[in-house]
């Protein structure tokens, strides 16, 4: 016989315990000890144990015996705090006044004013403890998993019963989820024996800022306009391209989303990334193309 959960309003501490339990359970994929929950929501471990008995009676939590035991939230617990138990586990960081909030992740963001030019506000549901948030605290949320949205704002209110924060948005950025191949330019290839001067002419004629260096299918490196200009300024215009090319360069798979390419450019400091399709370099994505695309939004 299937036992349905008793329908009743949860107390605030019960909601805090369930959200902390679910957050840890999703992250760790194991039973969670009461002491771990107590640490996250800043409560006495004895209080957690007492409340767990009530949550067991409500058929929201089950106990797991043994040295590695603890507590597990069951499906009804997700429903009780309006979460989808089938969602993939994704942590969306939450930062308060410059410091990450341990054990907290953003579950749902709703915008309720977007038409006013000088004001944009929203509501974020937090899995974890929100009691340390106060009005006028600075908050950062993100990046989110799909469009890599990152939000900065100021807290304007707190609803402890639903674990939601109200906030005014000060800054918001988002990276569209499109594959890098949609923005990449077809790669041109320069013979490694070509002089820097001739390579410069080829780049200019092709309106490209970088080219692959190779011969007969043998890819040897990458040469950028910056490399060419630097070499020519040093009087090396007749030197072969192979002498000044970059032998190591960042690459990204053609179907990867834009944020992967942006992350690689940010880490390496390069101005372009080579796009690879089925292990074959097919294009080059330049930072200027990314900037040009992003300013459309």
């Amino acid at each position: 016989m299937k036992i349905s959960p008793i329908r009743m309003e949860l107390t605030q501490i019960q909601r805090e315990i369930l959200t902390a339990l679910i957050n840890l359970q999703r992250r760790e994929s194991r039973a969670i000890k009461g002491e771990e929950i107590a640490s996250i929501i800043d409560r006495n471990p004895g209080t957690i144990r007492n409340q767990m008995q009530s949550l067991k009676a409500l058929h929201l939590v089950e106990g797991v015996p043994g040295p590695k035991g603890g507590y597990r939230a069951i499906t009804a617990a997700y429903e009780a705090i309006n979460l989808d138990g089938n969602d993939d586990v994704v942590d969306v960081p939450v930062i308060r006044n410059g410091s990450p909030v341990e054990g907290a992740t953003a579950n749902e963001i709703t915008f309720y004013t977007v038409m006013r030019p000088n004001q944009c506000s929203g509501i974020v549901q937090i899995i974890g403890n929100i009691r340390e948030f106060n009005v006028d605290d600075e908050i950062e949320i993100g990046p989110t998993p799909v469009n890599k949205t990152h939000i900065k704002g100021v807290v304007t209110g707190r609803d402890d019963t639903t674990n939601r924060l109200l906030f005014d948005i000060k800054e918001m950025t988002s990276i569209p989820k499109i594959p890098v191949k949609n923005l990449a330019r077809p790669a041109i290839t320069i013979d490694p024996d070509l002089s820097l001067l001739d390579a410069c002419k080829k780049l200019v004629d092709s309106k490209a800022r970088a080219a692959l260096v190779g011969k007969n299918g043998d890819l040897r490196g990458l040469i950028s306009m910056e490399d060419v200009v630097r070499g020519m300024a040093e009087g090396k215009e007749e030197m072969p391209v192979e002498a000044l090319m970059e032998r190591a360069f960042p690459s990204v798979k053609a179907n990867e989303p834009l944020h992967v390419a942006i992350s690689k450019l940010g880490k390496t400091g390069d101005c372009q990334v080579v796009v690879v399709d089925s292990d074959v370099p097919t294009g080059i994505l330049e930072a200027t193309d990314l900037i040009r695309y992003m300013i459309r939004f």
Side-chain angles (χ1 to χ4, degrees):
M1 179 178 68
K2 181 179 180 180
I3 301 176
S4 299
I6 299 173
R7 299 296 180 183
M8 64 173 291
E9 292 295 324
L10 297 177
T11 64
Q12 174 55 28
I13 187 171
Q14 287 173 334
R15 297 187 67 87
E16 289 180 7
I17 289 171
L18 283 181
T19 52
L21 173 60
I22 288 171
N23 190 34
L24 286 169
Q25 185 174 307
R26 282 175 156 180
R27 185 177 302 165
E28 303 292 336
S29 299
R30 59 173 174 80
I32 305 301
K33 297 188 180 299
E35 291 79 4
E36 295 176 274
I37 298 172
S39 175
I40 284 181
I41 67 174
D42 193 24
R43 298 277 188 169
N44 186 285
T47 301
I48 303 300
R49 287 191 292 271
N50 292 336
Q51 290 296 327
M52 280 300 184
Q53 298 307 312
S54 298
L55 292 172
K56 285 182 182 179
L58 292 172
H59 307 295
L60 300 176
V61 170
E62 63 182 6
V64 179
K68 295 184 178 180
Y71 303 98
R72 284 189 183 275
I74 59 178
T75 302
Y78 290 80
E79 297 172 355
I81 56 174
N82 300 316
L83 293 179
D84 187 347
N86 296 319
D87 284 346
D88 291 334
V89 180
V90 177
D91 280 335
V92 179
V94 180
I95 296 173
R96 171 183 173 269
N97 294 332
S99 299
V101 181
E102 183 181 357
T105 182
N107 177 62
E108 179 182 283
I109 303 172
T110 303
F111 302 106
Y112 63 89
T113 58
V114 294
M115 298 297 290
R116 300 175 187 174
N118 298 319
Q119 181 181 5
C120 184
S121 302
I123 303 172
V124 56
Q125 183 188 45
I126 304 293
I127 299 177
N129 181 24
I130 69 166
R131 290 186 299 120
E132 57 186 280
F133 285 91
N134 297 297
V135 172
D136 293 331
D137 280 349
E138 294 183 355
I139 186 174
E140 294 183 42
I141 305 164
T144 57
V146 178
N147 283 341
K148 298 300 174 181
T149 300
H150 186 270
I151 300 170
K152 290 184 179 181
V154 176
V155 175
T156 59
R158 190 182 82 198
D159 183 351
D160 291 344
T161 61
T162 61
N163 247 52
R164 285 176 165 86
L165 297 173
L166 287 73
F167 61 96
D168 284 340
I169 299 169
K170 301 304 179 184
E171 298 179 24
M172 183 166 66
T173 58
S174 181
I175 302 173
K177 190 180 180 182
I178 66 170
V180 293
K181 65 182 180 183
N182 286 21
L183 288 186
R185 302 178 182 221
I188 65 170
T189 302
I190 290 178
D191 190 295
D193 297 324
L194 201 66
S195 70
L196 281 186
L197 181 59
D198 288 335
C200 183
K201 292 177 181 178
K202 187 167 184 177
L203 287 172
V204 171
D205 290 343
S206 302
K207 297 181 180 179
R209 297 187 61 85
L212 301 174
V213 179
K215 191 173 185 178
N216 299 325
D218 177 23
L219 180 62
R220 303 183 188 180
L222 180 81
I223 189 79
S224 69
M225 183 62 82
E226 288 78 8
D227 297 326
V228 171
V229 170
R230 189 181 304 111
M232 293 179 65
E234 296 172 355
K236 302 175 181 177
E237 59 268 16
E238 296 302 324
M239 184 173 289
V241 167
E242 189 169 19
L244 291 175
M245 70 180 185
E246 299 290 338
R247 298 183 183 276
F249 49 83
S251 64
V252 63
K253 292 181 179 179
N255 289 317
E256 292 278 17
L258 281 184
H259 74 85
V260 175
I262 292 173
S263 177
K264 288 202 173 186
L265 291 176
K267 290 177 180 178
T268 63
D270 288 280
C271 296
Q272 55 278 315
V273 58
V274 174
V275 178
V276 179
D277 194 353
S278 300
D279 296 325
V280 177
T282 58
I284 294 178
L285 180 61
E286 299 179 1
T288 52
D289 292 327
L290 283 169
I291 294 170
R292 192 177 298 111
Y293 179 78
M294 293 299 293
I295 62 176
R296 294 165 48 193
F297 295 90

